[in-house]
Amino acid sequence: MSSRPQSPPPGAFAIVHSRYNDEVVNALVKGARQILGQHGVQPGDIHVVEVPGAWELPLAAAYLADDEEVVAVIALGCVVRGDTRHFEHVADECARGLMTVQLESGIPVANGVLAVERYEDAQRRAGGELGNKGEEAALAALAMARLAASVS
């Protein structure tokens, strides 16, 4: 496999991110934007939208997937386990909602929402020793957008 980035398919890439845990989420967004740029996506073709929390990500992803310019959506956020079951509700339903959006719309939705035990675990996945899951989500979005363009 070539190490040189392939050209992106024509269209816009949407990044939708939550406001909670902003230090981690901002690092994920930065990583996603950098990868998209390295792969030839022009700054004007990167649409960034902020929502209150991970719970709102699937609905925002659905709105963005309805935009005819958008060829892929990248959802980024961070849910940290607390002392209540709220973590499971938010993390699980966010993932289920994002999967539903991509299956119903036919637009790839990359899930870069971290669901972690501790905030430190998120930091390790947002540019720390375990890489940047925002970058990984952007790479997945690029790959799936290319696939979609090749079969349509």
Side-chain angles (χ1 to χ4, degrees), residues 18 20-25 28 54 76-92 94-95 111-128 130-134:
S18 63
Y20 279 101
N21 299 309
D22 64 334
E23 179 185 330
V24 166
V25 174
L28 297 174
L76 303 172
C78 178
V79 184
V80 180
R81 184 180 299 280
D83 295 331
T84 68
R85 284 188 25 86
H86 185 70
F87 168 86
E88 283 88 0
H89 294 300
V90 173
D92 293 349
C94 175
N111 184 351
V113 180
L114 302 176
V116 297
E117 295 294 321
R118 297 176 311 275
Y119 190 76
E120 295 78 26
D121 297 331
Q123 291 174 312
R124 293 173 43 198
R125 290 164 175 79
L130 296 177
N132 187 310
K133 299 304 179 186

Side-chain angles (χ1 to χ4, degrees), residues 24-141:
V24 166
V25 174
N26 289 340
L28 297 174
V29 171
K30 180 179 178 183
R33 290 180 77 118
Q34 286 177 335
I35 288 295
L36 292 173
Q38 288 172 9
H39 284 259
V41 179
Q42 297 303 306
D45 289 331
I46 302 172
H47 304 173
V48 180
V49 176
E50 181 182 84
V51 297
W55 187 260
E56 291 78 25
L57 288 170
L59 182 57
Y63 294 152
L64 293 164
D66 281 345
D67 182 334
E68 290 183 11
E69 286 184 18
V70 172
V71 295
V73 176
I74 302 163
L76 303 172
C78 178
V79 184
V80 180
R81 184 180 299 280
D83 295 331
T84 68
R85 284 188 25 86
H86 185 70
F87 168 86
E88 283 88 0
H89 294 300
V90 173
D92 293 349
E93 295 307 319
C94 175
R96 184 185 334 272
L98 294 173
M99 178 60 74
T100 299
V101 170
Q102 83 171 343
L103 292 174
E104 290 182 358
S105 70
I107 298 296
V109 178
N111 184 351
V113 180
L114 302 176
V116 297
E117 295 294 321
R118 297 176 311 275
Y119 190 76
E120 295 78 26
D121 297 331
Q123 291 174 312
R124 293 173 43 198
R125 290 164 175 79
E129 64 193 56
L130 296 177
N132 187 310
K133 299 304 179 186
E135 293 175 0
E136 292 177 22
L139 288 169

